[in-house]
Amino acid sequence: MKVKALVSFAGAVTMAPGEVRDIKEKVIYEDLLSAGYVEKVETKKKVTEDESK
C-alpha cells in the first residue's frame, strides 16, 4: 500500500514527514495507519485505450 508519512518515525520502517513509500507488509502499514503515523495515498489507475471504450 502506498502511504505518506504524517510524522517522522523509526522502526521496521523509517520515514520522514511528507515521504511517500510503498509498504508491502500488511501488518506494518495497518499498524502505522492505526497509530496515525501515515495516511493512504490514492493511486490513479492508468486507463488504457480498450478500457475507455
Side-chain angles (χ1 to χ4, degrees):
M1 170 185 284
K2 197 167 219 169
V3 296
K4 178 179 176 182
L6 301 174
V7 297
S8 61
F9 56 90
V13 174
T14 301
M15 295 177 73
E19 184 177 348
V20 176
R21 182 179 293 179
D22 188 27
I23 300 176
K24 298 186 186 306
E25 298 83 9
K26 184 177 179 181
V27 173
I28 293 174
Y29 73 70
E30 285 180 346
D31 189 39
L32 293 171
L33 281 170
S34 67
Y37 290 175
V38 298
E39 65 183 5
K40 185 177 178 181
V41 174
E42 297 295 328
T43 56
K44 294 181 181 178
K45 181 181 175 187
K46 291 184 180 180
V47 177
T48 62
E49 201 173 304
D50 293 338
E51 291 176 336
S52 64
K53 293 180 180 179

